[in-house]
Structures are given as C-alpha cells and as structure tokens.
Amino acid sequence: MKPAQFDYQAPERLDELLELLADELTDVRVIAGGQSLVPMMNFRLAAPELLLDLRRIDELERLELGGGELVVGARVTQARLLRELERDGRWPVLAEAIRHIGHPQIRSRGTVCGSLAHHDPTAELPALAVALGARMTARSSAGTRQIPAEEFFTSYYENALAPGELLSEVAFPAWPAGRGWSFQEIARRRGDFALVGAVATVDRDGSGAAVAAARLVVFGAAERPLLLDEVDELLRGAAPDAERVEAVQRLVAETVTPVDDAHAGADYRRANAARLAAAAVERAWERSGGV
Ligand SMILES: Cc1cc2nc3c(=O)[nH]c(=O)nc-3n(C[C@H](O)[C@H](O)[C@H](O)COP(=O)(O)OP(=O)(O)OC[C@H]3O[C@@H](n4cnc5c(N)ncnc54)[C@H](O)[C@@H]3O)c2cc1C
C-alpha cells in the first residue's frame, strides 16, 4: 500500500523544527529512522499531514558515555549505540537488548529515541529504559522538561510527551562496576519482536554474599514495561535462594496483565513472564560482584 499524501520538511535547526511541531492546526509528526512510522503510513494506520525529518539537525546526534551517564540524542541509531557500547563495555544489558532488535538493517536506521517514543510494549528499549532508571528530555518551543522512564510509557503505543514535544535525548544513569544483569526474551524467530521478556539487574552488598539492590522489569505482559518494586524488598539482604526466586516468580504471575493477541495467548505470556523473570534474577545474581 501507499501512504496518504503528506508534506515533508527537514529543518537544519532544532528551534525551527520545534516551531513547526508546535502547530496545533496541522497533524505533524517527526520522522527519525522511519522503521515504524513508514510501515504505519503505508498501511494507513498513520496519516500525518506534515512530516518533520530529524536527519539534518546535528545537535540531535549527541552520544556521550565519557562521564558517568550515557546520553543518547534523538538521531542516534540503535546500531551506532550498540557499536559504542561494545567498545566501551559498560551497560552490557543494553547492548544485549539491542542485539535482539530486528536485524542489522533495521538497527542501522532505527533510532533509540524513535523506539522509545513509538512505545511498542513488546519492544526491548522501553523495557531497558525503565529497568535502568533512564531520564527522558522533552523539548518544545515552550521549553525543556525531564520525564523519568517509569512515567514516560503510559499505555500501548502511548507516551507522556505533550503535543509539540520532541524526545530530544535519553540519559541512562552510570553503570556501577560489578553490577549483575540479565536480559531474557522469547520471540518466534531471531529478530522478531518479543512475545514476552524480562530484564534484571542485581548489585551485591559489601560482604559479597547478599543482594544490596535489585531491579526487575517484565515486558510484553502488560500495556507498558512493568517495574516490580517489590522485587527489591524480596531479594535485598540475602542471597536469592530457591524460595526467594520462587516468590519473585509468583509475584510476576500475579501482577502482569497480558492480553491474547494473534501472536500468543495471555496465559502463555503470564507463565513465561514469570519464568523468564525468575531466570533473569538468578542469572543477574550469578553475574554480579565481578563474576
Ligand atoms: C522488520 C522490522 C523488525 C523490527 N523488529 C523490532 C524488534 O524486534 N524490536 C523492536 O523494538 N523494534 C523493532 N522494529 C522497530 C524498530 O526498532 C524501529 O526503529 C523503532 O521502533 C522506531 O524507531 P525509528 O527511529 O525508526 O522511528 P520512526 O519510525 O521514525 O518513528 C516512530 C514513531 O515515533 C515518533 N518519533 C520518532 N522519534 C521521535 C522523537 N525523537 N521524539 C518524539 N517522537 C518521535 C514518530 O513520530 C513516530 O510516531 C522493527 C522494525 C521493522 C521494520
């Protein structure tokens, strides 16, 4: 199919783009890598009147990981971030998640911020943003505001950006040495969107024998990535023995709200979200403490 007719502009300056994006009388959308938007337009699931291309705005190319934080601008592709992470070695869980996104051809055009803004609840990057406690920067002609990842993803394909706002960058907090991690997903084929998945990080305490902090996110099992706050309480202060891991598994099964769709049933998603969450916690613990 072909898209409905639309206008197209590729401004060179961010302030120019934000002025155009502020036009409330026109259905304006930004286009980043086009890997989700173009198929949606071809299927007429989206019919913007004006497309604003980000590709000529140099300041959106920002990619910084020299300091503590990892800062990723709106033009940074998934492939470019993956290359930098592989070179750097920190945020290994983010690198592992990106390897599960589509194929190299998709990742070489698809952007990190585009995936976050698009918010498919089975996509890898929204889950990682929540698991790692990322901070989103929203820019508009009226100013700039920060949105924690936990508040950014609101429902299926929806986010907390207001009309006229651009997700200009995302910042991931520093990655501490010795942090354990695990990324788990089930997909029908390599490169497909996940049916369901889980991300865990575990930090050991000074003794090395107990959990100091744990974070668990499951995705593909609700309308947005779910951060299970109770997991930190369940695991903190001891080693995650079989009993504790089983408690995590039960908690996930009771908390998620999956739906049936053409790809998998709700029961399948619930059972596997719980199973992957338990496996993720165990693997993150094994990897923690520099193991
Ligand atoms: C065959 C195929 C397989 C794929 N497999 C996977 C997969 O396994 N996992 C996965 O996660 N994804 C997958 N994708 C999607 C891919 O990751 C996309 O790149 C991503 O979802 C969107 O990024 P984009 O830069 O292409 O955004 P675009 O398609 O350009 O935009 C997507 C939406 O986000 C908006 N948007 C984009 N950037 C911004 C911004 N900075 N601020 C505000 N709004 C913005 C656009 O207006 C649009 O509504 C796949 C895509 C294809 C075609």
PDB file of all heavy atoms in Angstrom, residues 36-72:
ATOM      1  N   SER A  36       9.290   2.320  11.968  1.00  0.00           N
ATOM      2  CA  SER A  36       7.930   2.020  12.421  1.00  0.00           C
ATOM      3  C   SER A  36       6.926   2.935  11.728  1.00  0.00           C
ATOM      4  O   SER A  36       5.841   2.504  11.339  1.00  0.00           O
ATOM      5  CB  SER A  36       7.814   2.201  13.941  1.00  0.00           C
ATOM      6  OG  SER A  36       8.643   1.284  14.590  1.00  0.00           O
ATOM      7  N   LEU A  37       7.303   4.205  11.570  1.00  0.00           N
ATOM      8  CA  LEU A  37       6.351   5.178  11.020  1.00  0.00           C
ATOM      9  C   LEU A  37       6.029   4.896   9.550  1.00  0.00           C
ATOM     10  O   LEU A  37       4.850   4.964   9.147  1.00  0.00           O
ATOM     11  CB  LEU A  37       6.906   6.596  11.181  1.00  0.00           C
ATOM     12  CG  LEU A  37       5.981   7.727  10.743  1.00  0.00           C
ATOM     13  CD1 LEU A  37       4.632   7.644  11.444  1.00  0.00           C
ATOM     14  CD2 LEU A  37       6.621   9.090  11.013  1.00  0.00           C
ATOM     15  N   VAL A  38       7.023   4.566   8.745  1.00  0.00           N
ATOM     16  CA  VAL A  38       6.750   4.367   7.313  1.00  0.00           C
ATOM     17  C   VAL A  38       5.815   3.166   7.091  1.00  0.00           C
ATOM     18  O   VAL A  38       4.813   3.300   6.362  1.00  0.00           O
ATOM     19  CB  VAL A  38       8.066   4.265   6.503  1.00  0.00           C
ATOM     20  CG1 VAL A  38       7.801   3.832   5.074  1.00  0.00           C
ATOM     21  CG2 VAL A  38       8.790   5.619   6.535  1.00  0.00           C
ATOM     22  N   PRO A  39       6.063   2.000   7.748  1.00  0.00           N
ATOM     23  CA  PRO A  39       5.074   0.926   7.592  1.00  0.00           C
ATOM     24  C   PRO A  39       3.674   1.344   8.051  1.00  0.00           C
ATOM     25  O   PRO A  39       2.674   1.008   7.417  1.00  0.00           O
ATOM     26  CB  PRO A  39       5.619  -0.207   8.477  1.00  0.00           C
ATOM     27  CG  PRO A  39       7.077   0.076   8.636  1.00  0.00           C
ATOM     28  CD  PRO A  39       7.244   1.559   8.508  1.00  0.00           C
ATOM     29  N   MET A  40       3.605   2.113   9.149  1.00  0.00           N
ATOM     30  CA  MET A  40       2.277   2.548   9.631  1.00  0.00           C
ATOM     31  C   MET A  40       1.598   3.452   8.608  1.00  0.00           C
ATOM     32  O   MET A  40       0.382   3.382   8.409  1.00  0.00           O
ATOM     33  CB  MET A  40       2.422   3.292  10.959  1.00  0.00           C
ATOM     34  CG  MET A  40       2.626   2.364  12.143  1.00  0.00           C
ATOM     35  SD  MET A  40       3.152   3.261  13.609  1.00  0.00           S
ATOM     36  CE  MET A  40       1.833   4.398  13.847  1.00  0.00           C
ATOM     37  N   MET A  41       2.382   4.305   7.966  1.00  0.00           N
ATOM     38  CA  MET A  41       1.809   5.186   6.938  1.00  0.00           C
ATOM     39  C   MET A  41       1.389   4.375   5.713  1.00  0.00           C
ATOM     40  O   MET A  41       0.332   4.635   5.115  1.00  0.00           O
ATOM     41  CB  MET A  41       2.808   6.273   6.551  1.00  0.00           C
ATOM     42  CG  MET A  41       2.990   7.302   7.676  1.00  0.00           C
ATOM     43  SD  MET A  41       4.330   8.461   7.357  1.00  0.00           S
ATOM     44  CE  MET A  41       3.713   9.318   5.914  1.00  0.00           C
ATOM     45  N   ASN A  42       2.204   3.397   5.358  1.00  0.00           N
ATOM     46  CA  ASN A  42       1.857   2.565   4.193  1.00  0.00           C
ATOM     47  C   ASN A  42       0.562   1.795   4.421  1.00  0.00           C
ATOM     48  O   ASN A  42      -0.219   1.588   3.500  1.00  0.00           O
ATOM     49  CB  ASN A  42       2.996   1.602   3.876  1.00  0.00           C
ATOM     50  CG  ASN A  42       4.159   2.320   3.209  1.00  0.00           C
ATOM     51  OD1 ASN A  42       3.999   3.425   2.714  1.00  0.00           O
ATOM     52  ND2 ASN A  42       5.321   1.698   3.208  1.00  0.00           N
ATOM     53  N   PHE A  43       0.353   1.358   5.667  1.00  0.00           N
ATOM     54  CA  PHE A  43      -0.892   0.643   5.999  1.00  0.00           C
ATOM     55  C   PHE A  43      -2.022   1.602   6.361  1.00  0.00           C
ATOM     56  O   PHE A  43      -3.084   1.172   6.795  1.00  0.00           O
ATOM     57  CB  PHE A  43      -0.661  -0.345   7.146  1.00  0.00           C
ATOM     58  CG  PHE A  43       0.082  -1.583   6.723  1.00  0.00           C
ATOM     59  CD1 PHE A  43       1.362  -1.837   7.159  1.00  0.00           C
ATOM     60  CD2 PHE A  43      -0.521  -2.503   5.868  1.00  0.00           C
ATOM     61  CE1 PHE A  43       2.048  -2.976   6.758  1.00  0.00           C
ATOM     62  CE2 PHE A  43       0.153  -3.642   5.463  1.00  0.00           C
ATOM     63  CZ  PHE A  43       1.435  -3.885   5.905  1.00  0.00           C
ATOM     64  N   ARG A  44      -1.754   2.886   6.260  1.00  0.00           N
ATOM     65  CA  ARG A  44      -2.729   3.939   6.605  1.00  0.00           C
ATOM     66  C   ARG A  44      -3.166   3.888   8.067  1.00  0.00           C
ATOM     67  O   ARG A  44      -4.286   4.278   8.405  1.00  0.00           O
ATOM     68  CB  ARG A  44      -3.975   3.872   5.692  1.00  0.00           C
ATOM     69  CG  ARG A  44      -3.629   3.900   4.202  1.00  0.00           C
ATOM     70  CD  ARG A  44      -3.609   5.286   3.647  1.00  0.00           C
ATOM     71  NE  ARG A  44      -3.124   5.331   2.283  1.00  0.00           N
ATOM     72  CZ  ARG A  44      -3.745   5.933   1.275  1.00  0.00           C
ATOM     73  NH1 ARG A  44      -4.876   6.571   1.478  1.00  0.00           N
ATOM     74  NH2 ARG A  44      -3.211   5.943   0.080  1.00  0.00           N
ATOM     75  N   LEU A  45      -2.271   3.374   8.908  1.00  0.00           N
ATOM     76  CA  LEU A  45      -2.531   3.431  10.355  1.00  0.00           C
ATOM     77  C   LEU A  45      -2.124   4.805  10.889  1.00  0.00           C
ATOM     78  O   LEU A  45      -2.474   5.185  11.998  1.00  0.00           O
ATOM     79  CB  LEU A  45      -1.740   2.343  11.095  1.00  0.00           C
ATOM     80  CG  LEU A  45      -2.147   0.913  10.741  1.00  0.00           C
ATOM     81  CD1 LEU A  45      -1.164  -0.094  11.311  1.00  0.00           C
ATOM     82  CD2 LEU A  45      -3.560   0.638  11.261  1.00  0.00           C
ATOM     83  N   ALA A  46      -1.328   5.525  10.105  1.00  0.00           N
ATOM     84  CA  ALA A  46      -0.971   6.907  10.423  1.00  0.00           C
ATOM     85  C   ALA A  46      -1.046   7.684   9.121  1.00  0.00           C
ATOM     86  O   ALA A  46      -0.655   7.182   8.072  1.00  0.00           O
ATOM     87  CB  ALA A  46       0.441   6.980  10.996  1.00  0.00           C
ATOM     88  N   ALA A  47      -1.591   8.910   9.212  1.00  0.00           N
ATOM     89  CA  ALA A  47      -1.691   9.741   8.001  1.00  0.00           C
ATOM     90  C   ALA A  47      -1.379  11.190   8.358  1.00  0.00           C
ATOM     91  O   ALA A  47      -2.239  12.079   8.289  1.00  0.00           O
ATOM     92  CB  ALA A  47      -3.094   9.613   7.405  1.00  0.00           C
ATOM     93  N   PRO A  48      -0.121  11.442   8.773  1.00  0.00           N
ATOM     94  CA  PRO A  48       0.236  12.826   9.136  1.00  0.00           C
ATOM     95  C   PRO A  48       0.159  13.756   7.924  1.00  0.00           C
ATOM     96  O   PRO A  48       0.405  13.324   6.801  1.00  0.00           O
ATOM     97  CB  PRO A  48       1.676  12.697   9.643  1.00  0.00           C
ATOM     98  CG  PRO A  48       2.182  11.405   9.116  1.00  0.00           C
ATOM     99  CD  PRO A  48       1.011  10.516   8.904  1.00  0.00           C
ATOM    100  N   GLU A  49      -0.183  15.018   8.198  1.00  0.00           N
ATOM    101  CA  GLU A  49      -0.221  15.998   7.091  1.00  0.00           C
ATOM    102  C   GLU A  49       1.178  16.513   6.797  1.00  0.00           C
ATOM    103  O   GLU A  49       1.486  16.874   5.676  1.00  0.00           O
ATOM    104  CB  GLU A  49      -1.111  17.177   7.482  1.00  0.00           C
ATOM    105  CG  GLU A  49      -2.572  16.803   7.606  1.00  0.00           C
ATOM    106  CD  GLU A  49      -3.346  17.904   8.302  1.00  0.00           C
ATOM    107  OE1 GLU A  49      -3.818  18.820   7.596  1.00  0.00           O
ATOM    108  OE2 GLU A  49      -3.469  17.862   9.533  1.00  0.00           O
ATOM    109  N   LEU A  50       2.015  16.571   7.845  1.00  0.00           N
ATOM    110  CA  LEU A  50       3.377  17.097   7.672  1.00  0.00           C
ATOM    111  C   LEU A  50       4.369  16.206   8.423  1.00  0.00           C
ATOM    112  O   LEU A  50       4.184  15.935   9.613  1.00  0.00           O
ATOM    113  CB  LEU A  50       3.443  18.529   8.247  1.00  0.00           C
ATOM    114  CG  LEU A  50       4.830  19.161   8.339  1.00  0.00           C
ATOM    115  CD1 LEU A  50       5.508  19.275   6.971  1.00  0.00           C
ATOM    116  CD2 LEU A  50       4.742  20.548   9.000  1.00  0.00           C
ATOM    117  N   LEU A  51       5.404  15.775   7.708  1.00  0.00           N
ATOM    118  CA  LEU A  51       6.488  15.008   8.340  1.00  0.00           C
ATOM    119  C   LEU A  51       7.680  15.924   8.532  1.00  0.00           C
ATOM    120  O   LEU A  51       8.112  16.593   7.587  1.00  0.00           O
ATOM    121  CB  LEU A  51       6.939  13.857   7.436  1.00  0.00           C
ATOM    122  CG  LEU A  51       6.168  12.552   7.469  1.00  0.00           C
ATOM    123  CD1 LEU A  51       6.950  11.485   6.705  1.00  0.00           C
ATOM    124  CD2 LEU A  51       5.919  12.091   8.895  1.00  0.00           C
ATOM    125  N   LEU A  52       8.225  15.924   9.748  1.00  0.00           N
ATOM    126  CA  LEU A  52       9.421  16.723  10.044  1.00  0.00           C
ATOM    127  C   LEU A  52      10.583  15.767  10.254  1.00  0.00           C
ATOM    128  O   LEU A  52      10.601  15.018  11.240  1.00  0.00           O
ATOM    129  CB  LEU A  52       9.209  17.546  11.308  1.00  0.00           C
ATOM    130  CG  LEU A  52       8.133  18.621  11.228  1.00  0.00           C
ATOM    131  CD1 LEU A  52       7.984  19.303  12.584  1.00  0.00           C
ATOM    132  CD2 LEU A  52       8.505  19.651  10.156  1.00  0.00           C
ATOM    133  N   ASP A  53      11.534  15.785   9.348  1.00  0.00           N
ATOM    134  CA  ASP A  53      12.668  14.862   9.405  1.00  0.00           C
ATOM    135  C   ASP A  53      13.750  15.418  10.335  1.00  0.00           C
ATOM    136  O   ASP A  53      14.113  16.595  10.237  1.00  0.00           O
ATOM    137  CB  ASP A  53      13.230  14.667   7.992  1.00  0.00           C
ATOM    138  CG  ASP A  53      14.039  13.402   7.869  1.00  0.00           C
ATOM    139  OD1 ASP A  53      14.686  13.019   8.867  1.00  0.00           O
ATOM    140  OD2 ASP A  53      14.029  12.799   6.779  1.00  0.00           O
ATOM    141  N   LEU A  54      14.259  14.557  11.219  1.00  0.00           N
ATOM    142  CA  LEU A  54      15.283  14.993  12.180  1.00  0.00           C
ATOM    143  C   LEU A  54      16.689  14.947  11.590  1.00  0.00           C
ATOM    144  O   LEU A  54      17.641  15.376  12.216  1.00  0.00           O
ATOM    145  CB  LEU A  54      15.256  14.074  13.422  1.00  0.00           C
ATOM    146  CG  LEU A  54      13.934  13.940  14.175  1.00  0.00           C
ATOM    147  CD1 LEU A  54      14.125  13.029  15.395  1.00  0.00           C
ATOM    148  CD2 LEU A  54      13.436  15.305  14.632  1.00  0.00           C
ATOM    149  N   ARG A  55      16.844  14.428  10.383  1.00  0.00           N
ATOM    150  CA  ARG A  55      18.168  13.989   9.933  1.00  0.00           C
ATOM    151  C   ARG A  55      19.196  15.088   9.725  1.00  0.00           C
ATOM    152  O   ARG A  55      20.384  14.804   9.709  1.00  0.00           O
ATOM    153  CB  ARG A  55      18.039  13.145   8.659  1.00  0.00           C
ATOM    154  CG  ARG A  55      17.741  13.922   7.416  1.00  0.00           C
ATOM    155  CD  ARG A  55      17.436  13.012   6.253  1.00  0.00           C
ATOM    156  NE  ARG A  55      16.812  13.777   5.207  1.00  0.00           N
ATOM    157  CZ  ARG A  55      17.474  14.459   4.281  1.00  0.00           C
ATOM    158  NH1 ARG A  55      18.790  14.438   4.263  1.00  0.00           N
ATOM    159  NH2 ARG A  55      16.836  15.170   3.380  1.00  0.00           N
ATOM    160  N   ARG A  56      18.756  16.352   9.588  1.00  0.00           N
ATOM    161  CA  ARG A  56      19.758  17.401   9.338  1.00  0.00           C
ATOM    162  C   ARG A  56      20.132  18.177  10.601  1.00  0.00           C
ATOM    163  O   ARG A  56      20.893  19.130  10.530  1.00  0.00           O
ATOM    164  CB  ARG A  56      19.230  18.357   8.269  1.00  0.00           C
ATOM    165  CG  ARG A  56      19.149  17.665   6.907  1.00  0.00           C
ATOM    166  CD  ARG A  56      18.371  18.488   5.912  1.00  0.00           C
ATOM    167  NE  ARG A  56      19.113  19.601   5.402  1.00  0.00           N
ATOM    168  CZ  ARG A  56      18.565  20.612   4.721  1.00  0.00           C
ATOM    169  NH1 ARG A  56      17.261  20.609   4.478  1.00  0.00           N
ATOM    170  NH2 ARG A  56      19.309  21.591   4.281  1.00  0.00           N
ATOM    171  N   ILE A  57      19.583  17.779  11.730  1.00  0.00           N
ATOM    172  CA  ILE A  57      19.825  18.555  12.954  1.00  0.00           C
ATOM    173  C   ILE A  57      20.978  17.928  13.741  1.00  0.00           C
ATOM    174  O   ILE A  57      20.820  16.928  14.448  1.00  0.00           O
ATOM    175  CB  ILE A  57      18.536  18.635  13.811  1.00  0.00           C
ATOM    176  CG1 ILE A  57      17.411  19.234  12.969  1.00  0.00           C
ATOM    177  CG2 ILE A  57      18.779  19.446  15.075  1.00  0.00           C
ATOM    178  CD1 ILE A  57      16.074  19.278  13.633  1.00  0.00           C
ATOM    179  N   ASP A  58      22.153  18.545  13.596  1.00  0.00           N
ATOM    180  CA  ASP A  58      23.382  17.946  14.142  1.00  0.00           C
ATOM    181  C   ASP A  58      23.333  17.746  15.651  1.00  0.00           C
ATOM    182  O   ASP A  58      23.860  16.762  16.162  1.00  0.00           O
ATOM    183  CB  ASP A  58      24.604  18.808  13.786  1.00  0.00           C
ATOM    184  CG  ASP A  58      24.894  18.745  12.292  1.00  0.00           C
ATOM    185  OD1 ASP A  58      24.390  17.814  11.636  1.00  0.00           O
ATOM    186  OD2 ASP A  58      25.608  19.634  11.790  1.00  0.00           O
ATOM    187  N   GLU A  59      22.711  18.686  16.378  1.00  0.00           N
ATOM    188  CA  GLU A  59      22.776  18.561  17.846  1.00  0.00           C
ATOM    189  C   GLU A  59      22.029  17.325  18.361  1.00  0.00           C
ATOM    190  O   GLU A  59      22.255  16.895  19.486  1.00  0.00           O
ATOM    191  CB  GLU A  59      22.291  19.842  18.539  1.00  0.00           C
ATOM    192  CG  GLU A  59      20.824  20.137  18.383  1.00  0.00           C
ATOM    193  CD  GLU A  59      20.458  21.471  19.038  1.00  0.00           C
ATOM    194  OE1 GLU A  59      20.277  21.515  20.261  1.00  0.00           O
ATOM    195  OE2 GLU A  59      20.360  22.462  18.303  1.00  0.00           O
ATOM    196  N   LEU A  60      21.185  16.739  17.524  1.00  0.00           N
ATOM    197  CA  LEU A  60      20.474  15.527  17.962  1.00  0.00           C
ATOM    198  C   LEU A  60      21.330  14.264  17.779  1.00  0.00           C
ATOM    199  O   LEU A  60      20.915  13.171  18.136  1.00  0.00           O
ATOM    200  CB  LEU A  60      19.147  15.379  17.208  1.00  0.00           C
ATOM    201  CG  LEU A  60      18.155  16.529  17.411  1.00  0.00           C
ATOM    202  CD1 LEU A  60      16.889  16.293  16.578  1.00  0.00           C
ATOM    203  CD2 LEU A  60      17.780  16.674  18.893  1.00  0.00           C
ATOM    204  N   GLU A  61      22.543  14.447  17.238  1.00  0.00           N
ATOM    205  CA  GLU A  61      23.472  13.309  17.058  1.00  0.00           C
ATOM    206  C   GLU A  61      24.261  13.012  18.323  1.00  0.00           C
ATOM    207  O   GLU A  61      25.091  12.102  18.346  1.00  0.00           O
ATOM    208  CB  GLU A  61      24.482  13.599  15.931  1.00  0.00           C
ATOM    209  CG  GLU A  61      23.898  13.753  14.552  1.00  0.00           C
ATOM    210  CD  GLU A  61      23.498  12.419  13.931  1.00  0.00           C
ATOM    211  OE1 GLU A  61      23.740  11.365  14.539  1.00  0.00           O
ATOM    212  OE2 GLU A  61      22.914  12.464  12.827  1.00  0.00           O
ATOM    213  N   ARG A  62      24.020  13.780  19.383  1.00  0.00           N
ATOM    214  CA  ARG A  62      24.825  13.651  20.598  1.00  0.00           C
ATOM    215  C   ARG A  62      24.821  12.220  21.156  1.00  0.00           C
ATOM    216  O   ARG A  62      23.760  11.641  21.376  1.00  0.00           O
ATOM    217  CB  ARG A  62      24.236  14.615  21.634  1.00  0.00           C
ATOM    218  CG  ARG A  62      24.976  14.647  22.934  1.00  0.00           C
ATOM    219  CD  ARG A  62      24.368  15.701  23.842  1.00  0.00           C
ATOM    220  NE  ARG A  62      25.069  15.717  25.116  1.00  0.00           N
ATOM    221  CZ  ARG A  62      24.478  15.999  26.285  1.00  0.00           C
ATOM    222  NH1 ARG A  62      23.192  16.303  26.329  1.00  0.00           N
ATOM    223  NH2 ARG A  62      25.170  15.985  27.399  1.00  0.00           N
ATOM    224  N   LEU A  63      26.014  11.676  21.372  1.00  0.00           N
ATOM    225  CA  LEU A  63      26.145  10.372  22.032  1.00  0.00           C
ATOM    226  C   LEU A  63      27.338  10.469  22.964  1.00  0.00           C
ATOM    227  O   LEU A  63      28.480  10.557  22.515  1.00  0.00           O
ATOM    228  CB  LEU A  63      26.347   9.251  20.998  1.00  0.00           C
ATOM    229  CG  LEU A  63      26.624   7.850  21.556  1.00  0.00           C
ATOM    230  CD1 LEU A  63      25.557   7.426  22.558  1.00  0.00           C
ATOM    231  CD2 LEU A  63      26.684   6.824  20.433  1.00  0.00           C
ATOM    232  N   GLU A  64      27.059  10.490  24.268  1.00  0.00           N
ATOM    233  CA  GLU A  64      28.138  10.691  25.246  1.00  0.00           C
ATOM    234  C   GLU A  64      28.154   9.562  26.244  1.00  0.00           C
ATOM    235  O   GLU A  64      27.115   9.229  26.842  1.00  0.00           O
ATOM    236  CB  GLU A  64      27.895  12.003  26.005  1.00  0.00           C
ATOM    237  CG  GLU A  64      28.336  13.208  25.208  1.00  0.00           C
ATOM    238  CD  GLU A  64      28.047  14.500  25.962  1.00  0.00           C
ATOM    239  OE1 GLU A  64      27.923  14.437  27.213  1.00  0.00           O
ATOM    240  OE2 GLU A  64      27.919  15.526  25.292  1.00  0.00           O
ATOM    241  N   LEU A  65      29.319   8.954  26.442  1.00  0.00           N
ATOM    242  CA  LEU A  65      29.450   7.983  27.519  1.00  0.00           C
ATOM    243  C   LEU A  65      30.784   8.133  28.233  1.00  0.00           C
ATOM    244  O   LEU A  65      31.214   7.257  28.966  1.00  0.00           O
ATOM    245  CB  LEU A  65      29.200   6.541  27.052  1.00  0.00           C
ATOM    246  CG  LEU A  65      29.565   6.068  25.640  1.00  0.00           C
ATOM    247  CD1 LEU A  65      30.959   6.302  25.284  1.00  0.00           C
ATOM    248  CD2 LEU A  65      29.134   4.642  25.464  1.00  0.00           C
ATOM    249  N   GLY A  66      31.410   9.309  28.053  1.00  0.00           N
ATOM    250  CA  GLY A  66      32.695   9.551  28.699  1.00  0.00           C
ATOM    251  C   GLY A  66      32.542   9.767  30.200  1.00  0.00           C
ATOM    252  O   GLY A  66      33.314   9.253  31.001  1.00  0.00           O
ATOM    253  N   GLY A  67      31.527  10.536  30.591  1.00  0.00           N
ATOM    254  CA  GLY A  67      31.311  10.800  32.013  1.00  0.00           C
ATOM    255  C   GLY A  67      30.589   9.615  32.639  1.00  0.00           C
ATOM    256  O   GLY A  67      30.671   8.493  32.157  1.00  0.00           O
ATOM    257  N   GLY A  68      29.846   9.876  33.708  1.00  0.00           N
ATOM    258  CA  GLY A  68      29.131   8.772  34.357  1.00  0.00           C
ATOM    259  C   GLY A  68      27.948   8.292  33.534  1.00  0.00           C
ATOM    260  O   GLY A  68      27.771   7.108  33.295  1.00  0.00           O
ATOM    261  N   GLU A  69      27.161   9.271  33.074  1.00  0.00           N
ATOM    262  CA  GLU A  69      25.909   8.930  32.379  1.00  0.00           C
ATOM    263  C   GLU A  69      26.151   8.552  30.921  1.00  0.00           C
ATOM    264  O   GLU A  69      27.138   8.943  30.324  1.00  0.00           O
ATOM    265  CB  GLU A  69      25.012  10.161  32.347  1.00  0.00           C
ATOM    266  CG  GLU A  69      24.246  10.434  33.591  1.00  0.00           C
ATOM    267  CD  GLU A  69      23.182  11.498  33.329  1.00  0.00           C
ATOM    268  OE1 GLU A  69      23.351  12.352  32.430  1.00  0.00           O
ATOM    269  OE2 GLU A  69      22.188  11.468  34.036  1.00  0.00           O
ATOM    270  N   LEU A  70      25.174   7.865  30.370  1.00  0.00           N
ATOM    271  CA  LEU A  70      25.147   7.597  28.929  1.00  0.00           C
ATOM    272  C   LEU A  70      24.030   8.456  28.348  1.00  0.00           C
ATOM    273  O   LEU A  70      22.868   8.306  28.727  1.00  0.00           O
ATOM    274  CB  LEU A  70      24.844   6.108  28.703  1.00  0.00           C
ATOM    275  CG  LEU A  70      24.433   5.669  27.304  1.00  0.00           C
ATOM    276  CD1 LEU A  70      25.573   5.900  26.314  1.00  0.00           C
ATOM    277  CD2 LEU A  70      24.045   4.191  27.313  1.00  0.00           C
ATOM    278  N   VAL A  71      24.391   9.379  27.458  1.00  0.00           N
ATOM    279  CA  VAL A  71      23.391  10.302  26.900  1.00  0.00           C
ATOM    280  C   VAL A  71      23.247  10.027  25.405  1.00  0.00           C
ATOM    281  O   VAL A  71      24.231  10.004  24.667  1.00  0.00           O
ATOM    282  CB  VAL A  71      23.789  11.782  27.129  1.00  0.00           C
ATOM    283  CG1 VAL A  71      22.711  12.715  26.588  1.00  0.00           C
ATOM    284  CG2 VAL A  71      24.018  12.038  28.611  1.00  0.00           C
ATOM    285  N   VAL A  72      22.002   9.813  24.969  1.00  0.00           N
ATOM    286  CA  VAL A  72      21.740   9.389  23.594  1.00  0.00           C
ATOM    287  C   VAL A  72      20.748  10.352  22.952  1.00  0.00           C
ATOM    288  O   VAL A  72      19.583  10.421  23.355  1.00  0.00           O
ATOM    289  CB  VAL A  72      21.143   7.956  23.581  1.00  0.00           C
ATOM    290  CG1 VAL A  72      20.952   7.465  22.157  1.00  0.00           C
ATOM    291  CG2 VAL A  72      22.017   6.984  24.373  1.00  0.00           C
TER     292      VAL A  72
END
